Amino acid sequence: MGSGNGRKHRWIISFGRSSSAVSKDPPREFLCPVTGSLMAEPVVVSSGQTFERVSAQVCKDLGFSPTLDDGSRPDFTALIPNLALERTILNWCEKSGSQPPRAPDYFSVERVVRSKIAAEDGEKEEEEEPRDEIRASERELLNGVAENPPLIFSHAVSAVGPRVNHFYSSSSEESVVVAASPETPLPLTTRPSCFSPWSSSEITESQTLGIAPNPEEENLLAKLESSELSDQEQGALLLRKITRTKEESRDSLCTPRMIDALKPLLASRHDTVQVNAVASLVNLSLENGNKVKIVRSGVVPLLIDVLKGGFSEAQEHAAGALFSLALEDENKMAIGVLGALPPLLHALRSESERTRHDSALALYNLTLVQSNRIKLVRLNAVPALLAMVKARNLVNRVLLTLCNLAACVEGRSAMLDANAVGILFELLRGKEVESEATRENCVAALSAISQGSMRFKGLARDAKAVEALREVEEKGTDRAREKARRLMEMMRGREQDEEEDPDRLVPLESGGFNRTRYRFSGLGSDGRNLYGANSTEF
């Protein structure tokens, strides 16, 4: 329809469900795994799962770790409020007409937990009887291998031996692609190609099937669990060497007992022990199927402690470990909830180049989920990241994180307040733009900031944006030229039909944006790596 002034009006149709369509049955993720009741105070535990606070506290007090539906056993070391889920549950209650949940009584939950303990003790007694058939857990384990065969990747693994000039951490180049410009590599991480559903509890069960212990593993464990410093040093160094040179060992050696043996060594006051222990953990994390197991084992808080105050080389590996673990989508929220964002942000100012680079890549991967974007914005990260862009420090990596932050309302507002428009246009006009990939991602960040902003047009005009965008239209890549053209048309006041923009950020009902159609330089239209995996080894 048209109006008297000749301007075109756009009809906006909402396809959201009405409140009457909300199911009376709560979603499964709203229920506590222990009590099966709607959670009033959900908390995320160290291993990443969510429980009712009282249930988690009871399990922690009784030293009980229940076996969950996926076969995993949670770690209740840390309990962190899951405020986002709590709000979501309350919204569901309001829409469905249900009563908001009340926190259960401690003693009633204790009775439930004690009954579960008794039930598991009874099952253990039954399992001691010999059986010839293949157990369900073993069959699932074999099916998991058949459905998810291991893929071959070229990884940069941690080197063993004296440092020469500069030591590069083990996981820094995992799943990193090379930018369009061969002169300046632009690191971009992609979704892990495969995920093995194995859990630590399944491995524990397989060890009880009568399988002969691995002599190599037993030898390593004897040294790592020894109280003698010399044994610990030898064990950590040997494990690091084995997991570096034998890729197949990363899967077989990533057992609950091995990870538990490494935990106290991560806090060692002896640099050789701590460095080799963290490096071993990084090498184990290079196996995609190990990433979730390692996070659920409760190692992340220890890695954060190393990043905060460990030995310099150990900090490099801790940053690399967090980056490697953050590549798995299932780990992203848990790592953020466990407090990794502040030390990673601080590590961007580290004296170690490798620590800075891996921390930046970890932040990029973690901010692919909405909850971590909001956390990082509230940490006042935007001014710090823009200051790095202005100082031409880690520009390529920082631009990726800024693009992620611009996908949420809080991020765009913070970037507009921190003069991101002026800083990014200054970068575009500068002669020192490192590569076409840098130029393209800079335009992508500006395009993301402009979404739904009434302030962007005036700020861009003040920053003399037209001159910089015209240069991009003349010299940039095809995608950069297209984005620059749209920005210029927006600044001229021309309204664009939304369907003409295949790269736009699509608003979601949750208030976030869909990133599946929003591409950075280095990825194809289907999100695949256009340039292959990094094959450098150190």
Side-chain angles (χ1 to χ4, degrees), residues 188-443:
L188 287 167
T189 57
T190 62
R191 181 186 179 89
S193 300
C194 64
F195 166 65
S196 170
W198 295 9
S199 67
S200 58
S201 64
E202 287 174 327
I203 294 178
T204 302
E205 290 178 359
S206 69
Q207 292 172 346
T208 66
L209 293 174
I211 300 175
N214 182 348
E216 183 178 57
E217 180 183 356
E218 292 299 321
N219 178 49
L220 286 167
L221 288 170
K223 293 180 180 296
L224 295 175
E225 294 173 347
S226 171
S227 59
E228 296 293 330
L229 176 60
S230 58
D231 289 340
Q232 294 175 3
E233 290 178 340
Q234 292 175 14
L237 181 61
L238 182 59
L239 178 60
R240 178 181 180 182
K241 182 178 180 181
I242 291 172
T243 53
R244 173 183 177 264
T245 57
K246 299 179 182 179
E247 291 188 14
E248 66 279 4
S249 68
R250 296 170 189 163
D251 180 42
S252 61
L253 292 177
C254 191
T255 63
R257 187 179 170 191
M258 184 66 71
I259 296 176
D260 286 342
L262 284 173
K263 284 181 181 179
L265 304 188
L266 299 179
S268 175
R269 297 182 179 181
H270 301 278
D271 58 347
T272 304
V273 174
Q274 186 184 67
V275 167
N276 288 316
V278 182
S280 298
L281 195 61
V282 177
N283 289 340
L284 290 173
S285 75
L286 294 180
E287 180 68 30
N288 283 330
N290 292 342
K291 296 182 189 296
V292 173
K293 290 191 292 186
I294 291 173
V295 169
R296 289 184 177 179
S297 71
V299 163
V300 170
L302 300 174
L303 289 174
I304 292 173
D305 289 340
V306 174
L307 187 60
K308 287 179 178 178
F311 293 98
S312 177
E313 188 176 348
Q315 288 178 329
E316 292 181 354
H317 295 308
L322 291 171
F323 161 49
S324 177
L325 296 173
L327 288 170
E328 171 54 53
D329 285 354
E330 193 171 340
N331 290 341
K332 288 177 171 52
M333 187 182 112
I335 293 174
V337 168
L338 292 170
L341 295 176
L344 284 170
L345 186 62
H346 181 77
L348 295 178
R349 300 191 293 270
S350 170
E351 294 181 358
S352 165
E353 180 183 1
R354 182 51 52 191
T355 300
R356 295 197 304 272
H357 286 191
D358 282 0
S359 297
L361 289 172
L363 287 172
Y364 163 68
N365 280 278
L366 293 174
T367 52
L368 289 173
V369 297
Q370 181 79 351
S371 60
N372 288 334
R373 293 171 189 155
I374 295 173
K375 286 185 177 71
L376 203 59
V377 170
R378 290 175 179 173
L379 288 171
N380 203 31
V382 169
L385 295 174
L386 289 173
M388 294 179 68
V389 172
K390 196 170 184 179
R392 307 299 186 261
N393 182 14
L394 295 176
V395 174
N396 293 331
R397 291 166 171 82
V398 171
L399 281 175
L400 298 178
T401 301
L402 288 172
C403 284
N404 287 343
L405 296 182
C408 69
V409 175
E410 295 87 345
R412 291 194 297 278
S413 177
M415 293 171 75
L416 291 169
D417 291 341
N419 191 32
V421 177
I423 293 172
L424 294 178
F425 275 118
E426 181 183 351
L427 175 64
L428 281 179
R429 287 195 301 270
K431 303 295 184 182
E432 64 274 18
V433 175
E434 297 178 354
S435 67
E436 286 304 320
T438 303
R439 190 192 309 273
E440 182 176 323
N441 284 286
C442 187
V443 177

Side-chain angles (χ1 to χ4, degrees), residues 445-457:
L446 287 165
S447 178
I449 298 171
S450 71
Q451 298 296 320
S453 172
M454 301 296 293
R455 300 165 55 192
F456 180 86
K457 183 177 177 181

Side-chain angles (χ1 to χ4, degrees), residues 62 64-66 73 110-126:
L62 297 179
F64 175 61
S65 181
R73 287 184 179 272
E110 183 180 3
R111 286 194 295 271
V112 173
V113 173
R114 289 191 182 278
S115 66
K116 289 181 178 290
I117 295 174
E120 289 203 5
D121 289 343
E123 290 177 1
K124 289 180 181 178
E125 291 178 2
E126 293 179 2

